Amino acid sequence: MTLAMSWSEWARHDATALAERVRKGDVTATELAAQTSAAVAGLNPALDAVVEIFDDVVADPLKDGMDPAGVFAGVPYLMKDLGPTLKGRLQEMGSLLMQGNVATTDSHLTGKIRKAGLNIIGRSTTPEFGVCSSAENTLCVTRNPWDTAYTTCGSSAGSAAMVAAGATPISHGTDGGGSIRIPAGVNGLVGLKPSRGVFSIAPGGSDLASVVSSQGCLSRSVRDTAAFVDHCRGGAPGEFMPYWSANEPYGDLIRRDPGKLRIAMSHEWGPYRASPEIVAELERAGRFLEDLGHHVDWAVPPIDLAAAFAAQTTCYITNFAQTIALLLEPRGLTRPPEDKVEPMNVRLWAAGIDATYSERTRMQLAFNTASRGFGAFFQDWDIILTPTMAKPTPLIGTRDYLTVSENPSVHDWFANLWAIFAYTPLSNLCGIPGLSIPFGHLPNGLPMGIQLQTRQAGDGLLLQVAAQVERALGGQWNGGAVPAHHVTAL
């Protein structure tokens, strides 16, 4: 099969650059789809990151309604197998229970993605129901393209692996506690969890029950993420989340450097601390931002972070219990079958299915206290800088944070998660934006993310700072290095 570009040429393009090539007539959307399909075929045996390629949409990018006049002009895009649905396509949520499940409607965001000119050509892997931060189960073992002995983390595992490996420059993710930012950090990508009320969750998601989870993308450039937000944001009729519009398109904003900012920095996050090699990279990031003219100093929001984590744990247990119950009901089941639902998810269901309104009310009060505390903190500071993760990237098969864990206690299991992924969940609780940029490196050569967080609706500021850093690095995240498993090696 003859491809439109060499792999080295392909790898030099982000989504914005590919779209510009299409508009110039240098390449077609069909050729882009064929190139990504070939990349997946070459990479997936080692990475196990793609569940399915839609061959009919590869052959005809207009088949499902992609708008070729959209800003991305037919750039190929993988949809995480969780969250927004595609009418008539399988959505199996990383679960044996959901095998053969076909979506009956497009989500509102699906239409937005296609209107933006992204060609949804397949499904990427996720852990069961997106519950843990690694796609390792009986259906898939998604591996890090930098070193396949390590996980991609997750839960947007497959999208992160394929974007990092160069198969496509941008793909879908969801983030209920770090599931965009964590794999972005681990795989050397840009990953934004937007503020609450940016992307639609209609019609399947509830504005109330889905309050901690956000949609988004993983990309290799700040401008691609900015364009995705600019062109895919906004609610559907009947949604009452506080959807809002930025003062100017982020694609314009990021071309300018921000003024001098007050940037707090912390790795001490309630009861959790980062390992020394991660602290060293955080300090290096702080010095880098100081050299760009910002004021950087150690500070942490003066709130009870342990109480916030406890409330977040209650939220996850009860939310996932109800999610599982809603999936069981149409199948005539009253409890999760242990041969089709992973052990920790069975325990989550049991722990949360009978939660009371009073428990959820106490949880919400703790959410309010934490949110107000972060809000007050951001009256004095523009941004807080943390690592994206507290511990180094886990090896494949590290079971204590997987839903195949033998841990009998769901609360102990969550404590294990927080010890590794301490810095991302509370932005979901508060509804504030968080952005992981691929600035750091671990001693073993794997990428390491640095996270920026700011006040509600400050997404543009985070992208503006990230773009300033990207320019200062000469446009070369990860020092220009690429993973061992990459399109350029095909």
Side-chain angles (χ1 to χ4, degrees), residues 414-431:
F414 271 111
N416 288 334
L417 260 67
W418 303 149
I420 305 171
F421 311 116
Y423 306 110
T424 55
L426 298 189
S427 63
N428 298 81
L429 179 157
C430 297

Side-chain angles (χ1 to χ4, degrees), residues 35 237 323 433:
Q35 190 109 19
T323 296

